[in-house]
Amino acid sequence: MNAILSDTVTISPVGTMDLLSQLEVAKLRGTSHGGLSERFRRCALAVLNTGSTLDDARAVYEQFADFEIELLQVERGIKLQMRNAPAQAFVDGELIHGIREHLFAVLRDVIYVSNEIEGRNGLDTPAAVTDAVFQILRNARVLRTRTPPDLVVCWGGHSIGREEYDYSKSVGYHLGLRGLNICTGCGPGAMKGPMKGAAVAHGKQRIVDGRYVGITEPGIVAAEAPNPMVNELVIMPDIEKRLEAFARFGHGIVVFPGGAGTAEEIFYVLGILLNPANAELPFPLVFTGPASAAPYFEQIDRFLRGTLGAEATRRYQVILDDPERVARTMREGMLQVKEFRREKGDAWFFNWRLRIEHEFQQPFKATHEAMAALDLRSDQPPHLLAANLRRAFSGIVSGNVKDDGIRRIEQHGPFELRGDPEVMAMMDRLLESFVAQSRMRLAGYEYQPCYRLVT
């Protein structure tokens, strides 16, 4: 159980937090525990709780139910005042500087999304959603206009063993030696390892401005609190915009072993790459892990071949137990991306040419009705089946670790997923392997499935 700092603490802004208007301050200072104020409180709590072993959002909220954070307007701008915060965020009574930066990044993004994105007319078209993703990233000041492609997105499980964690760190090290930067979902495990490895390599190469970008969203941040290596944090409004940010902001993707969340990410990226409009677009995608991860990737590969077909397998490489080869492959891929974008006149900092259809952009709320209605039949174009499988895995993530998803499962029982017998059988084998390998929750929990497969 984490200790609680009962003292009242007041802090001033750092990082990229700009001045707020009186109206913006008033919106956040509401006394009710709902809407914008509660969203900010929960995200702030997650940032302060970094390093916790809890991956159950509701457990975090219940443990720190008395946590309070208030926005104060002073003559020279704003301050934050906190009570009953996690003690681990402080050293000798002083808030750790990186956590302080993350707090104001949360405030920056929550305010911007509320004022500029939510409720905007026209967000029902692909172009408008992409523009919203771009504007959030631009407001967070993470887009570098004159930097050639160098950002590797790393996906993988937060609940991995020591061998897989050390391997992800080794991959990050070899990426960093080649001057590449890292972007992850910002949590622990395979999201932290590559950043830690790259930081050591950047130090050896005397790279003083190494980037360790974390992109998350309010529904998952409590279960996967930002790790301390993150030096640029962005809070997207939902999982769909978070995934689009990865695909457009990053220049290539490395996938480490994981669970349902990693499967969701795999189906997202392959779903958009299988769109015929993206057939010629270079996008390096590597699945990797130590030699012991071979059974995991064999299961993933078998599931992808069985659901999306052989064409999907041509969009990724599986490289086992060879961090240097992974790094060389990504570096070579970056050069291809650079030349392609130069030839097409596309920006290096944002992949405008990537076609992302409506099915991959619309927020999916994992209710029992929505999960049961997913079309998981094989007689549809592969990229559309991928979109629905992505939603199915997103719902399982919600039922595993998100506060609202956990409550729905407790009230109404497991989600039901329906589809072709062949698809359901393959999905059953994949999910059972995740459970057997303890990839659904952190060690120490007995996993209770939040889903039931129906044929």
Side-chain angles (χ1 to χ4, degrees):
M1 186 70 70
N2 293 333
I4 296 174
L5 188 73
S6 58
D7 295 342
T8 297
V9 178
T10 302
I11 58 174
S12 300
V14 292
T16 59
M17 181 67 242
D18 291 324
L19 295 176
L20 299 181
S21 71
Q22 291 183 342
L23 180 60
E24 289 170 329
V25 173
K27 289 176 69 175
L28 272 172
R29 293 187 66 188
T31 56
S32 66
H33 282 283
L36 184 63
S37 178
E38 179 63 8
R39 188 188 318 161
F40 172 59
R41 190 187 80 88
R42 291 190 171 199
C43 289
L45 175 59
V47 165
L48 291 162
N49 201 40
T50 183
S52 170
T53 58
L54 285 174
D55 70 344
D56 181 330
R58 187 180 63 172
V60 174
Y61 299 146
E62 289 177 352
Q63 181 178 338
F64 297 99
D66 294 332
F67 168 69
E68 299 176 12
I69 185 165
E70 183 180 3
L71 188 64
L72 305 178
Q73 192 163 35
V74 295
E75 287 185 5
R76 296 184 180 180
I78 59 170
K79 290 186 177 183
L80 289 176
Q81 183 173 277
M82 299 181 293
R83 284 179 287 275
N84 303 318
Q88 65 191 30
F90 298 82
V91 175
D92 297 334
E94 295 289 329
L95 187 64
I96 295 171
H97 190 83
I99 293 177
R100 184 177 167 195
E101 285 186 351
H102 289 171
L103 268 180
F104 284 98
V106 167
L107 180 60
R108 174 202 67 211
D109 294 339
V110 167
I111 286 285
Y112 185 78
V113 168
S114 174
N115 287 346
E116 304 296 333
I117 305 300
E118 291 179 348
R120 178 198 289 185
N121 293 326
L123 270 182
D124 54 352
T125 67
V129 174
T130 296
D131 183 68
V133 170
F134 170 79
Q135 291 195 37
I136 295 169
L137 294 174
R138 182 178 62 181
N139 184 67
R141 302 177 190 173
V142 297
L143 300 177
R144 306 286 174 87
T145 59
R146 294 178 176 84
T147 303
D150 67 354
L151 197 66
V152 181
V153 173
C154 294
W155 286 340
H158 68 288
S159 174
I160 58 174
R162 188 73 208 185
E163 182 186 17
E164 290 179 358
Y165 174 76
D166 287 343
Y167 181 83
S168 75
K169 195 161 59 171
S170 181
V171 170
Y173 174 78
H174 287 284
L175 291 170
L177 285 179
R178 289 159 177 80
L180 301 177
N181 291 301
I182 308 295
C183 174
T184 78
C186 88
M191 293 170 275
K192 178 183 176 183
M195 291 182 171
K196 202 165 185 178
V200 173
H202 288 162
K204 285 189 173 183
Q205 294 284 27
R206 301 299 187 264
I207 297 172
V208 297
D209 56 351
R211 305 185 69 191
Y212 319 108
V213 185
I215 302 179
T216 186
E217 52 98 5
I220 201 69
V221 67
E224 298 176 4
N227 73 69
M229 299 302 301
V230 173
N231 61 8
E232 298 177 67
L233 178 65
V234 184
I235 312 291
M236 303 300 291
D238 51 57
I239 186 64
E240 288 76 15
K241 293 179 184 63
R242 180 195 191 198
L243 289 169
E244 182 162 350
F246 283 130
R248 294 196 186 275
F249 178 52
H251 302 108
I253 296 176
V254 173
V255 182
F256 298 99
T262 304
E264 175 184 7
E265 291 163 341
I266 289 172
F267 274 97
Y268 178 87
V269 68
L270 286 177
I272 60 177
L273 292 180
L274 286 174
N275 188 321
N278 297 322
E280 310 219 341
L281 189 142
F283 199 99
L285 176 60
V286 174
F287 297 174
T288 191
S292 59
Y296 170 83
F297 284 113
E298 287 169 4
Q299 190 75 29
I300 290 287
D301 185 75
R302 190 178 302 117
F303 187 63
L304 292 172
R305 288 176 185 274
T307 55
L308 304 185
E311 179 61 29
T313 66
R314 287 191 277 271
R315 294 303 312 229
Y316 62 85
Q317 296 182 61
V318 179
I319 301 175
L320 294 176
D321 206 30
D322 196 342
E324 289 190 59
R325 185 181 164 205
V326 173
R328 289 195 302 270
T329 299
M330 294 309 295
R331 182 59 184 156
E332 291 164 4
M334 296 289 155
L335 296 176
Q336 293 175 12
V337 170
K338 178 180 177 181
E339 291 307 311
F340 180 84
R341 296 196 190 182
R342 188 199 302 276
E343 178 185 336
K344 301 297 182 182
D346 199 10
W348 282 341
F349 58 86
F350 195 80
N351 194 347
W352 290 106
R353 295 183 70 87
L354 184 68
R355 178 79 65 84
I356 301 180
E357 301 292 353
H358 187 75
E359 290 82 4
F360 290 90
Q361 292 182 319
Q362 293 309 297
F364 176 71
K365 189 171 184 179
T367 64
H368 284 72
E369 295 77 15
M371 290 287 278
L374 289 176
D375 184 0
L376 301 181
R377 294 175 295 109
S378 57
D379 59 343
Q380 57 183 311
H383 67 283
L384 297 182
L385 176 57
N388 283 313
L389 285 168
R390 197 284 302 175
R391 293 181 181 119
F393 284 110
S394 184
I396 292 172
V397 172
S398 177
N400 281 350
V401 300
K402 293 187 179 182
D403 181 45
D404 57 347
I406 293 170
R407 293 182 187 278
R408 287 193 182 97
I409 298 301
E410 289 181 343
Q411 292 172 3
H412 306 293
F415 294 131
E416 289 190 350
L417 293 168
R418 296 179 171 85
D420 291 346
E422 297 83 2
V423 173
M424 291 293 96
M426 288 186 290
M427 193 168 189
D428 189 38
R429 287 192 293 271
L430 183 67
L431 291 170
E432 282 186 354
S433 73
F434 289 169
V435 175
Q437 297 170 28
S438 300
R439 296 189 184 280
M440 290 295 205
R441 301 289 284 273
L442 285 173
Y445 290 86
E446 181 180 350
Y447 181 66
Q448 297 296 323
C450 65
Y451 58 87
R452 181 166 54 243
L453 305 182
V454 180
T455 56

